[in-house]
Amino acid sequence: MANEKKATVRDIAAKAGVSVATVSYVLNDKKDTKISDATRKKVLQVANLLNYSIPEKYKNVDAKQGVYTIGVMYELKADTPSRNTEIMSLINLLAERFIRIGFSFQLIPIESEAELSKPVQGLDGIIAIDLESASFKQMSNQYFIPILCLDMIINDFLFYQIHTDMESLVSKAKDILGDDFYIVTDKYNNEGYRDYIASAAPDNQILFFSEIAQNAFSKVKNKKILAFGLQSGLTLSQYAGCKDLVIVTNDASPSIYSALTKTIHHDIEKKANLAMNIMMNALEKKFDVKHEYKI
């Protein structure tokens, strides 16, 4: 937890990587300076996160006083059924938790770039789930409110980030499968997160479900597989002819599996709880931004 010390212009300058003069120009909304839009946005975002007063026109004037509105942005793809199911399960958990504490909760599905062209009014915080890097950058540049990234790797200290602890899951899989196996997963939208999963896989042995399905699962026949997601795991268990199969599922007691099916529980309820707590603290300016949390 951070202390209650009030942030200064120097604090903002240090966090944003600019001079004190630049911060002063931006916060005083001076237009006759050669400050890029990117730098101006960075300063305003840092100032907002550190609870420093920013120009009134950049504040969320449309939000109802005393009621926070959280927007959740996500993208579903036709060829990622397991991933879609997990995203919707996570959204349901988040909605249940935020609504229970009196927050408004707004779904913002991303179906085209045009939907990112202008900000959604009235939001106090945003939870972005597995967005492509370009889409996230386009979206985040338009807001000066806390943004939390789920299942994304964003190399920017401004944004809270929560994602699955792949190293831990792979370690558990090694106890069952040994050191040589493939990870099979739906393709995540976020490129950085895809790279992270590959780096956790033994010898970068990662396969995407939609691609191996096109070849009748020939790539996984007689191989040891760690499969992510209910649909992917069940399909592989029935049709792929894997030598050995372990399924990562967020269902603590998946009754539809056979007694012989090996599973590893992935607790997305913890992810939803952590997301809610971090967002609440961010809105109340309770602590500084930590770059990364793993579940």
Side-chain angles (χ1 to χ4, degrees), residues 166 170 180-188 190-209 211-212 219-220 223-228:
M166 289 295 174
V170 168
D180 186 22
F181 59 87
Y182 284 81
I183 287 179
V184 172
T185 177
D186 278 338
K187 184 177 288 186
Y188 284 70
N190 185 258
E191 302 88 340
Y193 197 63
R194 289 204 300 266
D195 291 342
Y196 167 63
I197 297 174
S199 69
D203 297 323
N204 285 358
Q205 294 183 149
I206 181 171
L207 298 169
F208 297 115
F209 183 82
E211 296 175 359
I212 62 174
K219 287 187 177 181
V220 297
K223 290 183 172 62
K224 295 180 179 180
I225 299 297
L226 176 64
F228 283 84

Side-chain angles (χ1 to χ4, degrees), residues 70 93-103 127 148 150 162 269-283 287:
I70 306 301
L93 290 170
L94 289 168
E96 174 189 324
R97 283 153 175 74
F98 279 111
I99 292 172
R100 188 169 59 221
I101 62 174
F103 284 29
I127 297 176
L148 188 154
L150 291 183
I162 304 173
E269 289 202 24
K270 284 186 177 180
K271 190 179 290 185
N273 290 338
L274 181 58
M276 183 185 73
N277 290 331
I278 290 175
M279 182 58 71
M280 289 174 62
N281 285 337
L283 292 170
F287 58 70

Side-chain angles (χ1 to χ4, degrees), residues 70-73 123-128 139 143 145-148 279:
I70 306 301
V72 57
M73 297 185 178
L123 300 180
D124 298 288
I126 293 171
I127 297 176
M139 178 274 290
Y143 293 92
I145 57 179
I147 297 178
L148 188 154
M279 182 58 71

Side-chain angles (χ1 to χ4, degrees), residues 75 138 259 273 275:
E75 182 179 5
Q138 182 180 353
N273 290 338

Side-chain angles (χ1 to χ4, degrees), residues 48 52-63 121-124 144-145:
N48 187 58
Y52 195 94
S53 180
I54 64 175
E56 193 67 29
K57 69 177 183 178
Y58 296 116
K59 296 180 180 179
N60 182 12
V61 295
D62 294 323
Q121 298 300 310
L123 300 180
D124 298 288
F144 307 99
I145 57 179

